[in-house]
Amino acid sequence: MKTINFKTPFFTLLAVLLTKATAFAQLDIDIDLGKSKWYEDPKVWVGVAVFLLILAFVARGRKS
């Protein structure tokens, strides 16, 4: 007599539920084309680059 393996249907059901939950979570997508974020501003990137250059020169000049 064959025994029923309950692990396979459980994992199949779990995979289907997780896939359905992820697909449902992706339905609420809000795209604002007119607004810009702080990290899209070129001034921020220039400021970060200048900061990293200053940090590199300070770290290079230090002797341990």
Side-chain angles (χ1 to χ4, degrees):
M1 186 168 164
K2 249 184 168 180
T3 59
I4 299 174
N5 187 0
F6 287 106
K7 290 181 181 177
T8 305
F10 174 73
F11 286 123
T12 305
L13 177 65
L14 184 65
V16 169
L17 288 176
L18 287 176
T19 306
K20 184 162 178 80
T22 353
F24 181 71
Q26 292 178 0
L27 291 178
D28 189 24
I29 297 173
D30 185 21
I31 299 174
D32 294 330
L33 296 177
K35 298 179 182 176
S36 64
K37 303 289 182 191
W38 64 269
Y39 50 82
E40 294 174 349
D41 191 9
K43 294 177 207 168
V44 173
W45 289 105
V46 170
V48 168
V50 168
F51 174 76
L52 289 176
L53 283 172
I54 292 171
L55 187 66
F57 283 125
V58 168
R60 183 176 168 214
R62 249 187 222 176
K63 304 234 178 193
S64 298

